[in-house]
Amino acid sequence: MALLLLLLATAAPHALAKAVPLSSSVMIFSNEDFDTRCPQLLQAAATHGSNSVNIVPTFYWIDDRFRELPRTCNPDGWAASSKVDSYCYYQAGKEGCQPWTKKAVAEATRGFASCLTLAFDLFDEVLISPHLDDGTRTSHWRNMLIFDPLSPDVNGFSYYDIMIRPITRAATSALSQKRAGHKAKTFWFAMQGEMGGTVFHHPQSYITIASMIRADLKRVSATVLVGVLLNHAYLPGVVNRGPDAPPFPLPGTPLAPLSGGWGPLLPFDEWPGSARIAAGLPAARVLLRSVVDFMGISNYNRAPADVTVDDMENAVAKYDAELAAMGINFLDVLKSGKKFIYNEVAIGGGVSECGNVSATEPWQVGRYPWMGIFSGYKKALDPFKTFMPSDADVPARSYMRSWYSSLLKVLAQGGVKYPVSGSYIWNCASWDVQGIFTRSGEGSYADPLTVDRIQKHNAAAAAEAKRGA
């Protein structure tokens, strides 16, 4: 017995990890989506055999400096630091992004509750990944948005007011429902999604919010986990890496060599705003080491033409390196009991920041996994030619299938170097390999062979979990 305990103590942190399902995401882009799209998307997600789902509510911010920019693709806009002048939301039948009012917050809370109630009826575990998108529609990225989540905008509403509190109230309602015969529920409450700038510039506010969430949900009949979700590069919301090696994504703009964050990591004191980031690091370390229950990554793994399992954690290695540069040992954090998830994982088949050019060669698909086709489904732009017979020779599609096969092998063993507890496809645009969200009269991005492999993987993960229960 002593020998067994010694072996367990010295084993890899995930030596006893179980297979992890590859789950789906439900995208919410307007307040109407809670009532209209959420039910149909949840039902579609449930057909793929996972016990978990990711709901991605999306509201918007306005930086007044960007209002006059052209509402076309600004391919280098992703790198610009942004601030919040106001928060807004989209409403059917109204022009533009609407400023929040108390009535709108109440309506969003009701919509959240309806969506979450059905989610907990269909799934044992629900992740919620709150997003802010650029309300000026000028190509700015939420990760570079620097804001205090507790500070009010010009209309008197904070991020906590419009996003966090409506979710806690909705979850309280949803988790008070009687579900006879159902398993105990787990609510994975991420305080933000792919928004590292706000976390590392205002970590103390997130420590406060985590405490408020737990206080609000302490009486619900579910396990509540609170976490943060970060990108695979540029974690603190600054461009902290040097240029990548060519070739670069389209169009050939000045910042194309920095797109995706695959260049070498700069020394910490060379990071833009390093002094300000350093001032918040004591609180950020407390947040990640002692406060949150889980961390997540937007896991867009670059891989060569002969993709293998070893390529499926290279984005996590970048995440690890940036945390290390800030004095946070990620593997030690995981060994302390924190959970780690892939809150976004997929491959898009694009080669342009503007989302309008399809990859044709396998190396392109693997080199730019975070890029895809933004429009509704069109056969002419489909990089994977999902409308063609499944056995047709489509090099980009064959590569995509190999990429997912390698991912599933990682999930089957609960991670390789980095233990993983959950994984969610980014079911949006050309990343939507299950065809849950992006459909049109011309078809969808669903690849039947990959869908079948995911369903079989999820069935095996469920069987393993049942045996270990």
Side-chain angles (χ1 to χ4, degrees):
M1 177 61 72
L3 177 59
L4 174 60
L5 293 175
L6 177 62
L7 290 172
L8 291 176
T10 57
H14 58 296
L16 300 180
K18 296 180 180 179
V20 176
L22 183 52
S23 308
S24 306
S25 296
V26 168
M27 319 303 294
I28 302 294
F29 291 114
S30 73
N31 284 10
E32 284 73 27
D33 286 349
F34 289 116
D35 293 318
T36 57
R37 280 189 166 175
C38 181
Q40 68 185 49
L41 296 176
L42 286 171
Q43 296 285 356
T47 66
H48 293 278
S50 175
N51 69 333
S52 183
V53 71
N54 177 26
I55 299 175
V56 187
T58 306
F59 298 142
Y60 302 82
W61 89 89
I62 298 289
D63 185 326
D64 289 337
R65 297 173 300 168
F66 305 143
R67 284 183 182 273
E68 302 307 316
L69 292 176
R71 293 194 178 187
T72 58
C73 175
N74 293 293
D76 287 343
W78 65 268
S81 181
S82 187
K83 61 181 174 58
V84 172
D85 287 307
S86 61
Y87 297 103
C88 60
Y89 66 96
Y90 277 89
Q91 186 84 18
K94 293 187 178 181
E95 183 71 22
C97 202
Q98 303 297 307
W100 286 96
T101 63
K102 290 183 178 179
K103 181 179 179 181
V105 171
E107 183 61 17
T109 302
R110 184 204 60 75
F112 270 129
S114 175
C115 185
L116 282 174
T117 297
L118 179 58
F120 281 114
D121 283 340
L122 293 173
F123 298 92
D124 298 326
E125 301 187 10
V126 176
L127 166 67
I128 195 156
S129 306
H131 275 195
L132 290 176
D133 275 357
D134 179 8
T136 68
R137 305 293 201 192
T138 54
S139 306
H140 293 89
W141 183 27
R142 71 183 74 88
N143 191 58
M144 304 309 202
L145 175 62
I146 311 299
F147 69 99
D148 185 336
L150 294 175
S151 294
D153 69 358
V154 296
N155 298 308
F157 292 91
S158 68
Y159 174 80
Y160 176 80
D161 295 330
I162 63 153
M163 186 72 84
I164 302 297
R165 186 164 54 190
I167 295 171
T168 59
R169 291 180 173 178
T172 299
S173 173
L175 291 168
S176 68
Q177 306 296 320
K178 300 295 183 181
R179 295 179 173 86
H182 283 229
K183 293 182 180 178
K185 304 297 180 179
T186 301
F187 185 34
W188 299 70
F189 194 153
M191 293 182 282
Q192 43 58 257
E194 199 183 79
M195 288 156 43
T198 177
V199 170
F200 285 97
H201 286 79
H202 296 281
Q204 187 59 51
S205 291
Y206 284 94
I207 292 173
T208 299
I209 288 174
S211 177
M212 295 164 77
I213 290 171
R214 291 190 174 103
D216 287 345
L217 297 179
K218 65 182 179 181
R219 292 188 176 86
V220 300
S221 56
T223 298
V224 176
L225 304 175
V226 180
V228 295
L229 310 177
L230 306 170
N231 191 47
H232 59 88
Y234 304 139
L235 268 64
V238 298
V239 178
N240 58 2
R241 291 177 173 271
D244 192 10
F248 307 126
L250 301 174
T253 59
L255 297 186
L258 298 171
S259 179
W262 287 92
L265 183 63
L266 301 175
F268 180 80
D269 60 4
E270 295 181 20
W271 294 11
S274 59
R276 183 178 177 188
I277 296 169
L281 282 179
R285 291 169 187 146
V286 170
L287 174 69
L288 300 182
R289 291 171 176 167
S290 305
V291 174
V292 300
D293 302 302
F294 69 95
M295 297 172 64
I297 183 175
S298 296
N299 193 22
Y300 295 97
N301 292 292
R302 171 176 283 181
D306 55 344
V307 56
T308 68
V309 168
D310 291 339
D311 300 309
M312 288 295 106
E313 290 186 327
N314 58 23
V316 188
K318 293 196 310 176
Y319 181 104
D320 185 359
E322 293 196 15
L323 289 172
M326 293 185 281
I328 300 166
N329 187 310
F330 183 48
L331 282 175
D332 282 352
V333 169
L334 296 182
K335 290 175 185 176
S336 73
K338 306 297 179 191
K339 297 180 183 298
F340 179 55
I341 63 172
Y342 305 159
N343 51 280
E344 293 185 25
V345 63
I347 192 163
V351 297
S352 171
E353 289 283 357
C354 296
N356 59 357
V357 182
S358 302
T360 56
E361 301 296 328
W363 71 264
Q364 294 174 317
V365 182
R367 186 169 180 81
Y368 312 118
W370 67 96
M371 292 187 174
I373 301 301
F374 297 160
S375 65
Y377 183 82
K378 296 178 181 178
K379 287 183 177 180
L381 289 175
D382 180 357
F384 307 124
K385 303 293 188 291
T386 55
F387 55 88
M388 293 180 66
S390 190
D391 59 353
D393 181 18
V394 181
R397 182 173 63 188
S398 296
Y399 182 88
M400 176 267 290
R401 290 171 173 174
S402 295
W403 193 92
Y404 275 106
S405 292
S406 295
L407 173 65
L408 292 174
K409 290 175 183 176
V410 172
L411 297 178
Q413 56 187 302
V416 183
K417 179 179 179 180
Y418 302 95
V420 60
S421 298
S423 185
Y424 301 86
I425 297 172
W426 187 242
N427 292 103
C428 186
S430 62
W431 296 268
D432 186 12
V433 71
Q434 296 170 312
I436 287 175
F437 183 87
T438 309
R439 291 179 174 273
S440 75
E442 294 188 38
S444 81
Y445 289 107
D447 175 45
L449 181 60
T450 304
V451 167
D452 181 65
R453 287 173 176 171
I454 292 170
Q455 290 173 339
K456 288 177 178 175
H457 167 84
N458 288 345
E464 181 180 326
K466 186 175 181 180
R467 289 194 301 270

